[in-house]
Every structure is written in C-alpha cells, then in structure tokens.
Amino acid sequence: MDFAILTAAGENGAQVRSDALDEIRTQAIRCGKVVRSVLQFARSEATEKWSSDLTGVLRTAIDVTARYANERGAHVEIDLSREASGQTVLMNPIEIEQVFVNLIRNAVESQPSGTRVNVSTRWVEGAVEISIEDDGPGIPEAHAEHIFDPFYTTRLREGRTGLGLSVAHGIVEDHGGSMWHETLDEPSVDGSRTLGGTRFHVRLPAEKTSPRA
Ligand SMILES: Nc1ncnc2c1ncn2[C@@H]1O[C@H](COP(=O)(O)OP(=O)(O)OP(=O)(O)O)[C@@H](O)[C@H]1O
Ligand SMILES: [Mg+2]
C-alpha cells in the first residue's frame, strides 16, 4: 500500500485511510484463500478414503452453503432420487463435500442475487450423478475451455481466486469420477438462442452395482 495514502492529510485524509484499510482487509482475506487453495491443490498424493453415504455428504454441503445462499437471496431446491439415496462411495467425505460446496457457491454467485439453484441426484449404471443447475447467465463458449484452469476467474473484483473448479476437478478425478458442465440455452421467439444457465455434473462410482429398489 502506498505510503502517501496511509499518511494522506487534508479534508479527505480519514476517508482515504479508511478506504485503504478496507482494501488491505479485502486483499488479506483473498491472500488467505489463495494460500489455503494452493496448499489443497498442490497436495498431489491420494487422500485416505472410506465408504460414505453420498447423499449425506451432499446434504451437509447444502447445509454449509445455506447461509451464504440466503444472504444472496438465492433459492436452493433439492431433488434427490430414491435410486441414488443410500448409495455409498469410497471417498474422502471432507473433499467431496468441498466439491459440492464449490459448485453450489458458484451457482449462487452466477447472479448478484436471487439465483435459483437446483441440486439433484440420479443413478447411472453403477454410478451416482449429482447435478447442480442455476438460472444465471451461463458460461460463454470462449470462457468454457478455461474454467477448470487454476486461477482462472472472471470474478477477480469480488476477491475470488479462480481455484474453486480446479480444486473440485482434481478431487473428483482422484476419486475415479468425472465432472463436466453444460451451458443451458433458451430459444427465443426469433429462433436465436440466448444463454440461460449452467448445469454442472459430477459422476462418482458407487460401491453397490445396482440401484436401490
Ligand atoms: N455456475 C456458473 N455460472 C457462470 N459462470 C461460472 C459458474 N461456475 C463457474 N463459472 C465461471 O468459471 C470461473 C471459474 O470458477 P471457479 O469456481 O474456479 O473460480 P471463482 O468462482 O471465480 O473463484 P473461487 O471459486 O476461487 O472463489 C468463474 O470465475 C466464472 O467465470
Ligand atoms: Mg468458485
């Protein structure tokens, strides 16, 4: 921070110093987030895994993000399929919870406020697929190829680090799963298409080979 700002005198001196301190606080918080995420990202060895209830972990992630969603006026709907519920996955539940937290937060953040988010599960041939959909502006094609890159963010001004999706992707791969997204579009009256939201999918191999009856 510029010394001249911190010693600013005159009528606006106090205001300038207060703004500067706010900026320092914002950037310090951001640095903390970067360090935490880099440490998480840099750890390349596979983590310990044990059999855990996937729907339970998903519910915890929804609970963890509920306050944040609420503060941003977002509505999170949950649509858990019977076939997928009770399925266990060999996982590190703390990491998998982080994957869902990152995706739900991104969905909530897709609009300044009032985003509708839908979280659903389904059974697909020996795996459980979790989908997190929002009604935000969608991800433009030009950005789509970069979103899993570490430090790629279009939200720098909001103090984001651009590590959420790369961390999530690394965790899912380490669990033998896959992760992808689709940009939803809506046809308009004149036949052109406008972007109309994003749906992220995470597919994780289930321990049981058949769905719950
Ligand atoms: N649901 C979404 N809707 C629209 N854009 C998205 C969505 N999810 C991710 N993105 C885009 O992908 C970029 C990268 O996402 P990522 O989660 O990695 O970083 P971030 O959210 O910007 O920062 P961080 O997660 O570290 O706080 C975002 O900056 C945004 O441009
Ligand atoms: Mg994010």
Side-chain angles (χ1 to χ4, degrees), residues 2-213:
D2 196 330
F3 185 70
I5 293 176
L6 292 175
T7 55
E11 230 171 81
N12 291 330
Q15 186 58 47
V16 170
R17 278 194 296 278
S18 156
D19 290 350
L21 285 171
D22 278 349
E23 180 65 15
I24 290 170
R25 191 176 324 116
T26 305
Q27 292 307 327
I29 292 170
R30 182 164 184 271
C31 284
K33 283 191 209 164
V34 172
V35 171
R36 265 198 302 282
S37 300
V38 168
L39 288 174
Q40 193 175 12
F41 189 71
R43 195 197 50 223
S44 54
E45 80 272 20
T47 48
E48 200 189 336
K49 299 178 182 62
W50 56 93
S51 178
S52 310
D53 169 30
L54 184 63
T55 306
V57 175
L58 181 59
R59 280 190 185 282
T60 309
I62 294 168
D63 288 349
V64 166
T65 49
R67 208 168 106 139
Y68 183 65
N70 200 30
E71 276 167 14
R72 297 188 60 125
H75 306 275
V76 182
E77 291 162 17
I78 308 157
D79 187 6
L80 304 178
S81 86
R82 192 175 143 70
E83 283 189 331
S85 72
Q87 291 294 339
T88 56
V89 168
L90 195 61
M91 64 161 113
N92 181 301
I94 296 155
E95 290 190 337
I96 294 297
E97 182 188 315
Q98 189 63 51
V99 170
F100 298 142
V101 166
N102 290 359
L103 292 177
I104 296 168
R105 285 183 72 105
N106 276 354
V108 166
E109 288 163 1
S110 66
Q111 296 179 88
S113 69
T115 308
R116 298 199 83 86
V117 180
N118 182 276
V119 180
S120 60
T121 56
R122 66 185 189 118
W123 172 265
V124 197
E125 296 154 16
V128 180
E129 189 174 303
I130 301 92
S131 304
I132 295 165
E133 179 179 332
D134 64 64
D135 62 352
I139 301 178
E141 229 170 274
H143 297 183
E145 59 179 303
H146 301 295
I147 57 170
F148 293 117
D149 295 348
F151 301 112
Y152 178 80
T153 181
T154 56
R155 302 167 179 166
L156 203 59
R157 278 163 180 242
E158 290 131 72
R160 302 289 167 216
T161 62
L163 283 165
L165 284 180
S166 55
V167 165
H169 192 249
I171 293 172
V172 170
E173 287 215 317
D174 180 48
H175 283 75
S178 53
M179 180 173 161
W180 69 100
H181 84 282
E182 28 175 343
T183 294
L184 311 168
D185 57 6
E186 293 165 348
S188 38
V189 210
D190 64 0
S192 65
R193 303 185 81 87
T194 50
L195 300 183
T198 307
R199 191 184 292 142
F200 272 89
H201 303 274
V202 173
R203 199 178 278 189
L204 291 165
E207 288 187 299
K208 292 174 204 152
T209 48
S210 57
R212 203 168 116 151

